[in-house]
Amino acid sequence: MGEVIAVMNQKGGCGKTTTVVNTATSLAVMGKSVLIVDMDPQANATTSFGLIKTDLENTIYDALIGKISVKKATIPTFIKNLFIIPSNVSLSGASMELSQADNYHSRLKETLADVVPLFDYIFIDLPPSLGVLTVNALVASDSVLIPIQAEYYALEGVADLINTINLVETRLRSPTPIKGVLLTLYDKRTRLSQDVHKELKNYFSENNLLFKTIISRNIKLAEAPSHGKPCLIHDPDSTGTKAYLSLAREIIKRDEGEE
């Protein structure tokens, strides 16, 4: 049975999609069977694999509303072991439709039920908000991975995110533990990045939630989506590629109980 991981932070620009795409790719090249579920109407994870979102016939939206099966919406990427359920702008209307449905909060969980057993890891990429799509992802997920950028007020929104996670657990009886916190957009040359790293270590040290891997600012990571490729394919030797391979190894070690 695969582990469903929601990658989320309501603050934009923290590297959620970059983390989903490159962590999933790294795990896939290590032999794990991986699925990406693009739950963001902007569909950046979808276009990161060269898919043209306006040309897609089957998306996560179509599966959510029951128009097609989730297996029909699942397509292989050009990377072995890596699949994606793509998205496009049609998903933007799902919030209202889902909110009017019975058991709206569990619709994504029900939709993914048939594919979860087929993969080792399922990553859900989410929009920067705490709305209906996020609640659905929390209910559907086994854990949450939180990317936090090395910038001022980096921890400002984390309390709100954790409150949302706790609220879903309490009201919907659906606990979703934090798998880990990932420091992104780090610049070792700046005092600010160093201070944020120190804050995160203090904040999350008690339960060892902060990943040892740090994702530094890297031009190749920024370039890769415009080429429709994960960074590992765009530039296998880049600092960004090496960082996400390191994160994938760290995730595997944690899951195997080696840390």
Side-chain angles (χ1 to χ4, degrees):
M1 182 69 71
E3 180 182 5
V4 183
I5 304 168
V7 180
M8 57 191 295
N9 189 327
Q10 78 275 21
K11 191 175 188 308
C14 62
K16 289 187 300 297
T17 301
T18 298
T19 295
V20 167
V21 168
N22 291 288
T23 306
T25 299
S26 297
L27 287 165
V29 300
M30 292 177 182
K32 301 296 183 180
S33 181
V34 187
L35 172 66
I36 294 173
V37 182
D38 193 347
M39 283 290 285
D40 188 343
Q42 294 185 67
N44 290 331
T46 297
T47 58
S48 292
F49 291 94
L51 296 171
I52 301 173
K53 54 188 176 183
T54 54
D55 291 347
L56 295 170
E57 293 184 8
N58 301 319
T59 67
I60 184 61
Y61 171 76
D62 299 299
L64 280 171
I65 64 172
K67 181 180 177 182
I68 59 171
S69 70
V70 69
K71 289 184 178 179
K72 188 172 182 179
T74 303
I75 59 176
T77 69
F78 52 82
I79 296 165
K80 184 180 178 181
N81 302 321
L82 182 56
F83 294 75
I84 187 169
I85 302 178
S87 175
N88 59 22
V89 70
S90 62
L91 185 61
S92 60
S95 295
M96 182 171 293
E97 292 182 51
L98 289 176
S99 64
Q100 296 172 349
D102 293 335
N103 297 321
Y104 73 91
H105 53 270
S106 60
R107 182 60 65 88
L108 180 60
K109 183 175 183 177
E110 295 166 359
T111 299
L112 296 179
D114 287 343
V115 293
V116 169
L118 306 178
F119 297 94
D120 296 313
Y121 293 98
I122 298 95
F123 288 93
I124 303 177
D125 190 31
L126 287 160
S129 68
L130 297 177
V132 172
L133 297 180
T134 297
V135 171
N136 261 264
L138 283 172
V139 172
S141 298
D142 300 304
S143 62
V144 177
L145 193 160
I146 305 174
I148 300 178
Q149 73 277 32
E151 295 179 1
Y152 196 54
Y153 295 134
L155 295 176
E156 189 179 50
V158 176
D160 290 337
L161 179 55
I162 292 174
N163 285 339
T164 300
I165 293 170
N166 292 336
L167 196 63
V168 169
E169 177 176 356
T170 302
R171 292 192 177 180
L172 301 179
R173 298 180 182 178
S174 182
T176 315
I178 297 174
K179 186 175 187 68
V181 174
L182 178 68
L183 180 59
T184 63
L185 300 171
Y186 182 80
D187 187 342
K188 65 181 179 181
R189 300 169 298 179
T190 69
R191 177 66 180 270
L192 177 59
S193 283
Q194 296 171 27
D195 288 346
V196 171
H197 188 207
K198 184 177 179 180
E199 274 193 74
L200 288 175
K201 285 197 288 187
N202 291 336
Y203 196 84
F204 293 106
S205 61
E206 184 177 340
N207 38 22
N208 196 34
L209 287 176
L210 184 64
F211 284 110
K212 294 176 182 177
T213 300
I214 295 174
I215 309 300
S216 299
R217 288 185 178 276
N218 179 252
I219 187 63
K220 295 300 181 181
L221 279 175
E223 286 177 356
S226 66
H227 295 273
K229 300 175 183 177
C231 196
L232 189 145
I233 306 300
H234 175 59
D235 188 342
D237 297 320
S238 74
T239 301
T241 292
K242 292 174 182 177
Y244 277 107
L245 286 168
S246 173
L247 176 63
R249 286 191 290 268
E250 190 172 352
I251 288 172
I252 291 171
K253 285 183 179 180
R254 283 191 179 195
D255 292 345
E256 292 178 349
E258 295 182 23
E259 293 187 352

